[in-house]
Amino acid sequence: METSDLKKAGLKVTLPRMKILEILENSETRHLTAEAIYRELLDSGEEIGLATVYRVLTQFEAAGLVCRLHLEGNQAVFELERGGHHDHIVCNQCGRVEEFFDETIETRQREIARQHGFSIKDHALVLYGDCDDSACPHRPV
Amino acid sequence: METSDLKKAGLKVTLPRMKILEILENSETRHLTAEAIYRELLDSGEEIGLATVYRVLTQFEAAGLVCRLHLEGNQAVFELERGGHHDHIVCNQCGRVEEFFDETIETRQREIARQHGFSIKDHALVLYGDCDDSACPHRPV
DNA sequence: CGGCTCGATGATCAAGATTCTCATTTCTAT
DNA sequence: ATAGAAATGAGAATCTTGATCATCGAGCCG
Ligand SMILES: [Mn+2]
Ligand SMILES: [Mn+2]
Ligand SMILES: [Zn+2]
Ligand SMILES: [Zn+2]
């Protein structure tokens, strides 16, 4: 199911690429840094270079297989492209990431861009706050 | 008009700090990287270290005098804090930055955060597109 | 005004993230 | 299986930003 996507993108089907796809598919959080993917590969006994992880992720992004998020913090975050556009809410305390899609906001963005004479191609919206997860360290006990 | 703000923040009034404020005030684009500020200072004959620019900007941010934006691209962008919150539209071609504020979007963000159990503290919204500036390199001639 | 003290500065080094280089390995098509 | 092209891994390199530390200067007192 992925090998065809790789071939479609003109990318050889290699072990590092398959493994990286696998990790992105099976991840709980679904939003991973290159480092996190790299560490998971090392932990599972794969011999892989960090450079390969970055290289492959960039290629996947170009091929539309993953997208790259720039949340605050210095590392980019990658997630599998599942077709539906969405934006993100990030917990300042525990880092949990939730997704949402709001047509009202999407529409307003298009209107605003038009009013300013821009033809909008993309946007990045991230909400930052404190979540209500019982495991979240900031919660009052 | 700024020296008092510096003192209020517990910062000595020094030449580098004044010059940096000056550049932020007089800049056409109003959104500058640390490097851009540094180069402008060098060009105007000031002897200043890049480290000082970064240090001062970080202090200004902590003091609420400037805010730091993370647009796509690897460098942070700084602008004078003028009191009113706003979000940004960036031209993919020429880099022009426009500002907007939309109460509908702000309200929806709060509602969405609440629905997800987050108490929202902040957000980052940037629209990317092609602008209609006649000087913008991408325009069809 | 002249000096004192501590914060500020600038040069340099350092750290973290990401990319590049290049010799070696691995796909893929024949 | 073989050749050719592409991919990999190790490490160096780059870029942005922050840390160190000796020197300098702003603010304060007399
Ligand atoms: Mn997502
Ligand atoms: Mn702005
Ligand atoms: Zn949380
Ligand atoms: Zn433009």
Side-chain angles (χ1 to χ4, degrees), chain B residues 104-122:
Chain B
T104 303
I105 291 181
E106 302 285 328
T107 302
R108 286 300 295 144
Q109 288 179 355
R110 288 190 289 271
E111 289 170 4
I112 290 163
R114 190 167 38 74
Q115 285 166 18
H116 285 257
F118 280 64
S119 80
I120 188 175
K121 293 285 186 292
D122 194 11

Side-chain angles (χ1 to χ4, degrees), chain A residues 70 72 89-92 96 98-100 102 104-105 108-109 112-113 116-132, chain B residues 70 72 89-92 96 98-100 102 104-105 108-109 112-113 116-132:
Chain A
H70 297 278
E72 303 221 341
I89 313 181
V90 181
C91 176
N92 286 330
R96 198 154 64 88
E98 297 227 353
E99 305 179 336
F100 69 90
D102 187 79
T104 304
I105 290 180
R108 284 300 295 144
Q109 287 179 356
I112 289 163
H116 285 258
F118 280 64
S119 80
I120 189 174
K121 293 285 186 291
D122 193 11
H123 69 263
L125 171 57
V126 186
L127 312 183
Y128 297 95
D130 297 339
C131 83
D132 64 357
Chain B
H70 297 278
E72 304 220 342
I89 314 180
V90 181
C91 176
N92 286 332
R96 197 154 65 88
E98 296 227 355
E99 305 178 336
F100 69 90
D102 187 79
T104 303
I105 291 181
R108 286 300 295 144
Q109 288 179 355
I112 290 163
H116 285 257
F118 280 64
S119 80
I120 188 175
K121 293 285 186 292
D122 194 11
H123 69 262
L125 171 57
V126 186
L127 312 183
Y128 297 94
D130 296 338
C131 84
D132 63 357

